[in-house]
Amino acid sequence: MAVTTRLTWNEEKRLQKLLGNVSLSLLYQSSVHGCSIKDMLARCSCQGSTITVIYLGDNIFGAFLLEHYPKTVQSVRKQNSSFFFSLQNNKTTAFLNTSLKITDEELAFHSSNHEEWFFSLVPKKHKLWLLHSLGKELAMNSYHDYSYRECEVFRVEGIKNEANYVSRITGATEYRNMLLEHLRAYKPCVDLVPEIRILLLGPVGSGKSSFFNSVKSIFQGHVTRQATVGSDITSITEMYRIYSIKDGKEGKSLPFMICDSMGLDEKDGVGLCMGDIPHILKGCMPDRYQFNPHQPITSRHSDFIISPSLKDRIHCVAYVLDINSINDLSSKMVVKFKQVQKEVLNCGTAQVVLLTKVNNYHDVLQDNFLNMKKSITSQSQVINVHKMLNIPISNILMVENYASVWEQDPVKDILILSVLRQMLRAADNSLEDLPLSETGEILGQSELCM
Amino acid sequence: MAMTTSLTWMQEKILQILLRGKKFSLLYKASAHEFSPSNLFEICCNQGPILILIYGDHVIGAYVSENCQRETPVSILLFAFQETEISRCKIGPYEPLKLFGGNVCESNLEFYINLRKQKVTMNLKLIKILNLPECSNISFQECEVFRCEDLLDTRKIQGVTVLRESLLSALRTYKPYKELVHQTRILLLGPVGAGKSSFFNSVKSVFRGHVTHQALVGSDTTGITEQYRTYSIKDGKDGKSLPFILCDSMGLDEEEGMCMGDILHILKGHISDRYQFNFTKPITPGHGNWNDFPLLEDRIHCVAIVFDANSVEDLSSEMVAKIKRIRREMIKCGMAHVVLLTHVDNMALIRKGDLIDIYRYMPVKLKLEAVHEKLGFALSDILVVSNYTSEWDVDPVKDVLILSALRQMLWAADDFLEDLPLEETDIRSKYLTRCAREENDYVNP
């Protein structure tokens, strides 16, 4: 006889992903090991974090417990250390913060402040009692109690950062989708500009093209590789590209564009030519321009945009830096950065810093995802960049790009999307700040052109 | 006390091979559940076959190959880890309870674990067989018990089969980006013997339902494939053509092999099916296989650079330089590309069960890192497969790897098509298709 879970392989994988790429070990199965609370606790106590899975018709319900199952019958447990979820055929999942109470007969789950009862398990009778409104929300039949087929308990291994795990898992997917909606519906504050253009500038291999690929992958729903990435001694990107991103495969274009440039190099005559930067910022540089490290574009170039309008300009510059390289950035590179920044300031363009390759990306945001944590923004890397470029800490942003096809993660998405939102906000600020005369002047010019 | 095993990855792997592809789920750990036999049995009875491990100066184990119950006698496999090897012997049948003393006088037993005192007692004969130091009482610090399941049980095979079906239907109904072309062309490029033709054969086999060998494969030093072949694949034996074409080229070689010039001509669609490669010089316009005005249809939309996963670290520096040069050229003309590592099933220690979650498998992760380091390709662009070479019949596990790789290639091709400048897709392709159609109509009214 072998003890095998009732979950199909596919369901198991979905569950693992839902819980943040964890692995599961089956500890207890009611049909094999007996269905009393005592049988259950005997096998499940002192096993670390667990999920209890209940099979009810086509539905699978689960309750996650961050702490051990107790050895004996025990009352109310700590707040915010457990949650309830449901895995329906192909539908999304409801999350609910809960706290647990165990008696001789039942496992009862309450709201995290203990005030409201959500659901109970009576293992002896194979019964599940569900709050009426909850049952409705999950599109269950309108009975109050249900007989379930089986109850299984798994140990959950591989939880990153236990401290805010519960709030992260329960809130992440919803927050991610909210951000997506937000970005889809975004409109630049100036009517003349249909899309915000974000320029990525930074050293070779800092992850500029990867950031574009990451953003596109989120909106596309699978990993994309439109911008070639990888590593080499010199920049892989040798062409100026203005990428527009579609919402889904056939969807409409999103209200922002990402402009990808060649990597900066500390040596002159290698990498992006300094003389090209003002042309890019003003919007004179055509898409697909082949960079020449030795000399900048001139107005004689066949595709040179002679009188760019406000919409062709760069509205936000992101200085892209590998967070691990900041503390040993060469002085030549710093000088180069300051030169670049001078040009950006001259044009009055908004500027942010984008730190990439943040391995501990799970830790960057607060539990409610609204802000970066103090402990993160007070890191030496952030302070150094802040001092070097004199950019406010709130505009020093962090991401971990998608480097592997196989690990989708809502928290990673949240960070990337939040960063994008900050860039758009920065762009809006600088557009609002534009003197009327300049908007007028540019307007006049573009009318003249037409 | 955290419930994680003290077993190293390597030890677990060795055990997995010893017990023929088993997966271990930790149930009991003495330091978390007390050094108490009754706790151990309460947790570990009725869990199917179990594995008991004892950690002292040596790791000693006992494998109960049948469902473990306190008082049903079963035969037991004892083993002990040496540095890299494992020595073993069968004992029993015993009641599992007796292994932990039970009610029997200690001296009668050849092997016995005193959990409370954290000592193992065994007779001299066993100590010799297991290559352990001669000492009748071996003390230990930790004891763990695992449930053993097949790494590839029916539940997983079923799951993999479902996944295969969904991949198959996704690939059958795939349409190239904006339907700019009818069929996506994927070029297979790589060193001699890397498995380019085998990959085509494998893809064809998956859609045919049994292993086929249309493209000749082998392992001659200069490469078996000397012709440029573009293979369209039918869905089933008489089905309609699938929406992609695999293009098989001659192997790359430090000196001989395919010319650089030919690669560029292929990418642009100048070379047609069945061109006989000449490694001394590239094709010239006017050749019977030269296409003067290739359409978007004729161009390559994604390149897969194929390597044997087992020898990719040993590529000569000339070959690395050549690959890097090709990569630069591809980047220059905006060519989408991925890397395909073949023969992963031949990697050391890998079991078939590992293939179902291959990208999480540690040695494969390290392999991808190595390829990234050596050749500079992005990690997300490296795919792995196991080709059909010696089999007669297809296998859902291998099918899933092959189909997933193919789907990634088609996604990459879509990125390429989306990235094309408007003038190259809209005006030119439409105009040229129309011209071609008119010409066709003219030739065969």
Side-chain angles (χ1 to χ4, degrees):
Chain A
M1 186 214 62
V3 180
T4 315
T5 171
R6 262 178 196 268
L7 290 175
T8 65
W9 186 59
N10 209 349
E11 284 163 346
E12 187 186 350
K13 295 198 100 170
R14 266 177 69 197
L15 202 52
Q16 286 176 330
K17 210 166 145 187
L18 185 77
L19 299 174
N21 296 321
V22 295
S23 56
L24 305 173
S25 305
L26 180 62
L27 299 171
Y28 161 85
Q29 194 167 30
S30 60
S31 60
V32 180
H33 299 133
C35 50
S36 75
I37 295 251
K38 196 171 153 281
D39 294 326
M40 191 172 156
L41 292 184
R43 294 188 193 252
C44 307
S45 62
C46 302
Q47 295 277 10
S49 304
T50 57
I51 49 165
T52 307
V53 177
I54 299 129
Y55 299 84
L56 191 73
D58 291 338
N59 292 313
I60 297 168
F61 292 100
F64 171 87
L65 296 179
L66 186 67
E67 292 164 62
H68 296 296
Y69 254 112
K71 279 186 199 156
T72 51
V73 166
Q74 238 181 44
S75 63
V76 188
R77 301 170 58 74
K78 246 168 77 182
Q79 284 189 24
N80 293 326
S81 66
S82 64
F83 60 83
F84 162 85
F85 62 88
S86 76
L87 201 67
Q88 282 173 328
N89 279 335
N90 273 316
K91 269 192 237 152
T92 43
T93 310
F95 276 116
L96 223 48
N97 273 319
T98 53
S99 62
L100 168 65
K101 187 176 168 183
I102 304 178
T103 66
D104 289 328
E105 292 293 316
E106 65 169 6
L107 300 169
F109 289 83
H110 297 259
S111 64
S112 52
N113 55 11
H114 312 308
E115 275 169 11
E116 197 184 354
W117 168 85
F118 286 147
F119 70 105
S120 295
L121 282 183
V122 185
K124 266 239 163 74
K125 296 182 181 151
H126 282 96
K127 285 271 189 224
L128 172 75
W129 300 77
L130 209 56
L131 184 68
H132 192 69
S133 59
L134 189 61
K136 250 189 183 163
E137 200 180 311
L138 299 169
M140 307 274 298
N141 302 325
S142 55
Y143 307 120
H144 192 64
D145 64 315
Y146 307 88
S147 299
Y148 63 80
R149 287 188 292 172
E150 177 93 86
C151 171
E152 294 177 351
V153 179
F154 298 82
R155 186 179 52 247
V156 179
E157 286 164 56
I159 293 175
K160 289 171 214 124
N161 189 2
E162 288 193 2
N164 57 8
Y165 175 78
V166 170
S167 55
R168 206 171 68 219
I169 292 293
T170 52
T173 309
E174 203 182 328
Y175 192 79
R176 172 190 178 274
N177 295 340
M178 192 274 286
L179 274 176
L180 270 178
E181 280 310 311
H182 200 97
L183 287 169
R184 281 184 187 126
Y186 165 83
K187 269 177 87 173
C189 69
V190 178
D191 286 342
L192 294 168
V193 181
E195 294 106 4
I196 293 292
R197 295 192 178 204
I198 299 162
L199 172 67
L200 307 175
L201 279 179
V204 174
S206 57
K208 297 176 292 300
S209 304
S210 294
F211 178 69
F212 160 69
N213 280 341
S214 295
V215 172
K216 190 180 166 192
S217 299
I218 295 176
F219 283 96
Q220 196 84 283
H222 62 79
V223 163
T224 63
R225 30 175 88 78
Q226 186 176 353
T228 305
V229 295
S231 56
D232 208 345
I233 320 154
T234 55
S235 183
I236 291 287
T237 309
E238 293 183 329
M239 218 188 239
Y240 180 59
R241 287 305 315 272
I242 303 171
Y243 292 113
S244 155
I245 299 171
K246 288 207 175 63
D247 188 11
K249 199 165 178 176
E250 310 283 333
K252 64 178 179 43
S253 294
L254 292 161
F256 46 85
M257 290 176 159
I258 293 181
C259 305
D260 193 12
S261 64
M262 192 179 191
L264 290 170
D265 199 291
E266 55 179 43
K267 292 192 257 356
D268 289 323
V270 190
L272 182 63
C273 182
M274 291 301 279
D276 277 334
I277 292 175
H279 296 304
I280 297 179
L281 294 172
K282 286 183 189 133
C284 304
M285 181 80 75
D287 186 20
R288 294 174 199 275
Y289 168 73
Q290 189 78 35
F291 285 113
N292 179 349
H294 299 286
Q295 65 190 62
I297 192 170
T298 60
S299 52
R300 287 189 302 279
H301 189 280
S302 59
D303 291 328
F304 190 84
I305 300 166
I306 295 164
S307 43
S309 61
L310 187 59
K311 73 173 171 51
D312 298 318
R313 299 207 334 196
I314 295 298
H315 309 109
C316 176
V317 172
Y319 305 111
V320 185
L321 284 162
D322 176 348
I323 193 167
N324 309 297
S325 74
I326 287 170
N327 289 345
D328 33 51
L329 221 51
S330 74
S331 54
K332 276 186 186 158
M333 190 52 107
V334 174
V335 170
K336 201 145 199 177
F337 253 105
K338 294 207 161 141
Q339 273 175 307
V340 171
Q341 198 179 20
K342 213 176 205 174
E343 300 289 356
V344 174
L345 289 172
N346 273 344
C347 290
T349 315
Q351 38 178 0
V352 299
V353 174
L354 180 63
L355 302 179
T356 58
K357 307 186 192 180
V358 179
N359 294 325
N360 59 338
Y361 65 92
H362 273 284
D363 256 348
V364 172
L365 295 176
Q366 294 171 346
D367 290 355
N368 56 12
F369 307 112
L370 290 178
N371 277 306
M372 287 196 285
K373 282 187 192 160
K374 275 261 154 32
S375 59
I376 295 293
T377 51
S378 55
Q379 289 183 96
S380 67
Q381 289 96 327
V382 176
I383 302 296
N384 284 353
V385 171
H386 169 63
K387 281 184 187 148
M388 182 175 101
L389 296 172
N390 208 8
I391 285 176
I393 301 266
S394 62
N395 276 343
I396 299 177
L397 314 169
M398 292 182 212
V399 286
E400 165 82 344
N401 286 325
Y402 274 110
S404 140
V405 185
W406 318 98
E407 308 263 333
Q408 270 187 350
D409 182 346
V411 178
K412 209 179 232 190
D413 287 0
I414 286 175
L415 210 49
I416 294 169
L417 295 172
S418 304
V419 155
L420 202 55
R421 187 177 59 176
Q422 281 309 107
M423 290 175 176
L424 297 179
R425 284 179 178 167
D428 269 348
N429 280 343
S430 76
L431 280 175
E432 271 171 21
D433 199 41
L434 224 54
L436 267 183
S437 63
E438 197 171 339
T439 25
E441 188 185 290
I442 289 165
L443 236 184
Q445 265 183 20
S446 56
E447 272 167 1
L448 214 76
C449 285
M450 293 188 329
Chain B
M1 193 65 218
M3 280 295 288
T4 41
T5 175
S6 318
L7 211 56
T8 64
W9 185 86
M10 199 60 190
Q11 286 169 332
E12 190 173 341
K13 199 65 216 174
I14 291 170
L15 282 178
Q16 207 175 69
I17 291 166
L18 177 78
L19 304 177
R20 306 217 169 124
K22 290 278 191 279
K23 172 186 164 246
F24 309 112
S25 308
L26 181 62
L27 297 172
Y28 164 89
K29 189 176 170 103
S31 57
H33 296 114
E34 297 172 22
F35 289 82
S36 139
S38 62
N39 282 6
L40 186 151
F41 281 103
E42 202 154 57
I43 295 174
C44 306
C45 274
N46 264 324
Q47 295 273 18
I50 59 165
L51 173 71
I52 303 160
L53 287 181
I54 280 157
Y55 301 86
D57 290 340
H58 290 82
V59 179
I60 304 171
Y63 174 60
V64 181
S65 62
E66 287 160 56
N67 185 30
C68 172
Q69 263 156 353
R70 284 183 183 82
E71 280 157 18
T72 316
V74 282
S75 66
I76 285 155
L77 177 73
L78 275 190
F79 58 87
F81 273 97
Q82 267 70 52
E83 295 272 303
T84 50
E85 274 168 53
I86 207 163
S87 34
R88 62 195 149 171
C89 65
K90 266 213 161 118
I91 57 165
Y94 285 123
E95 299 165 10
L97 199 57
K98 275 193 189 160
L99 285 182
F100 294 91
N103 312 318
V104 193
C105 174
E106 292 176 18
S107 58
N108 291 341
L109 286 163
E110 48 183 334
F111 177 87
Y112 144 71
I113 303 166
N114 188 334
L115 205 52
R116 290 198 193 284
K117 290 189 183 151
Q118 302 188 22
K119 275 189 173 40
V120 181
T121 314
M122 59 179 111
N123 67 21
L124 272 177
K125 198 180 119 213
L126 275 182
I127 289 184
K128 277 233 172 76
I129 298 175
L130 295 179
N131 281 321
L132 292 167
E134 292 197 12
C135 157
S136 58
N137 278 319
I138 304 168
S139 61
F140 62 88
Q141 291 84 46
E142 181 70 276
C143 171
E144 295 176 351
V145 182
F146 303 81
R147 186 183 50 247
C148 305
E149 290 163 80
D150 282 327
L151 198 52
L152 209 58
D153 54 9
T154 37
R155 181 181 74 101
K156 283 188 183 152
I157 295 280
Q158 274 168 6
V160 169
T161 310
V162 170
L163 181 58
R164 177 179 68 172
E165 290 314 311
S166 75
L167 280 169
L168 272 174
S169 84
L171 289 172
R172 282 184 184 126
T173 55
Y174 159 84
K175 287 200 176 110
Y177 177 77
K178 280 194 177 166
E179 297 187 56
L180 289 174
V181 295
H182 292 106
Q183 285 171 303
T184 297
R185 285 185 186 237
I186 299 164
L187 173 65
L188 305 170
L189 211 60
V192 173
K196 299 177 291 299
S197 305
S198 290
F199 180 68
F200 157 69
N201 283 336
S202 300
V203 172
K204 188 171 171 187
S205 304
V206 178
F207 284 97
R208 181 57 69 82
H210 61 83
V211 176
T212 65
H213 297 283
Q214 184 181 350
L216 278 183
V217 293
S219 48
D220 207 354
T221 43
T222 49
I224 291 289
T225 311
E226 293 190 343
Q227 256 190 5
Y228 178 60
R229 289 303 319 270
T230 62
Y231 295 111
S232 182
I233 299 167
K234 287 210 167 65
D235 185 12
K237 200 159 183 179
D238 308 301
K240 62 180 178 49
S241 294
L242 291 162
F244 48 84
I245 294 174
L246 293 177
C247 305
D248 193 11
S249 64
M250 192 181 183
L252 298 173
D253 193 89
E254 284 91 342
E255 294 127 37
E256 301 181 342
M258 197 165 41
C259 304
M260 277 299 261
D262 278 342
I263 298 178
L264 293 180
H265 293 319
I266 291 176
L267 294 184
K268 298 209 172 95
H270 285 300
I271 298 184
S272 64
D273 192 20
R274 295 183 193 274
Y275 166 68
Q276 193 75 35
F277 284 109
N278 179 347
F279 63 83
T280 52
K281 60 178 199 302
I283 193 171
T284 46
H287 189 283
N289 288 99
W290 175 266
N291 178 353
D292 268 327
F293 301 106
L295 308 177
L296 187 56
E297 291 268 355
D298 303 317
R299 286 167 63 172
I300 297 297
H301 311 112
C302 172
V303 175
I305 308 170
V306 186
F307 299 102
D308 181 337
N310 301 286
S311 61
V312 64
E313 281 103 335
D314 310 325
L315 289 178
S316 68
S317 53
E318 289 91 2
M319 184 58 90
V320 171
K322 197 161 193 170
I323 303 277
K324 284 192 170 168
R325 208 158 72 233
I326 293 172
R327 177 161 169 248
R328 275 288 172 192
E329 290 296 338
M330 289 194 300
I331 292 169
K332 210 169 254 170
C333 54
M335 192 73 230
H337 56 269
V338 295
V339 171
L340 187 69
L341 301 180
T342 59
H343 304 300
V344 275
D345 51 332
N346 291 348
M347 280 173 67
L349 296 175
I350 210 164
R351 303 285 305 188
K352 202 178 143 210
D354 295 320
L355 295 181
I356 63 172
D357 222 350
I358 191 78
Y359 292 93
R360 280 171 186 257
Y361 184 65
M362 190 54 78
V364 167
K365 282 189 182 170
L366 296 176
K367 182 68 78 177
L368 300 194
E369 292 279 346
V371 174
H372 168 69
E373 282 289 309
K374 188 159 179 134
L375 299 166
F377 294 101
L379 286 176
S380 57
D381 293 350
I382 309 172
L383 312 168
V384 296
V385 288
S386 154
N387 283 333
Y388 287 114
T389 47
S390 56
E391 298 86 340
W392 286 352
D393 247 319
V394 291
D395 168 345
V397 177
K398 284 188 165 202
D399 282 1
V400 162
L401 278 183
I402 293 164
L403 294 173
S404 319
L406 194 58
R407 187 172 59 169
Q408 292 288 337
M409 291 175 193
L410 295 177
W411 276 340
D414 278 351
D415 285 330
F416 167 76
L417 291 171
E418 184 179 355
D419 197 53
L420 281 176
L422 276 183
E423 65 269 21
E424 273 189 62
T425 55
D426 277 11
I427 312 160
R428 193 154 157 266
S429 78
K430 271 181 198 154
Y431 170 73
L432 287 174
T433 334
R434 208 180 62 221
C435 288
R437 212 173 284 141
E438 278 166 11
E439 209 173 277
N440 255 336
D441 291 346
Y442 180 72
V443 177
N444 343 292

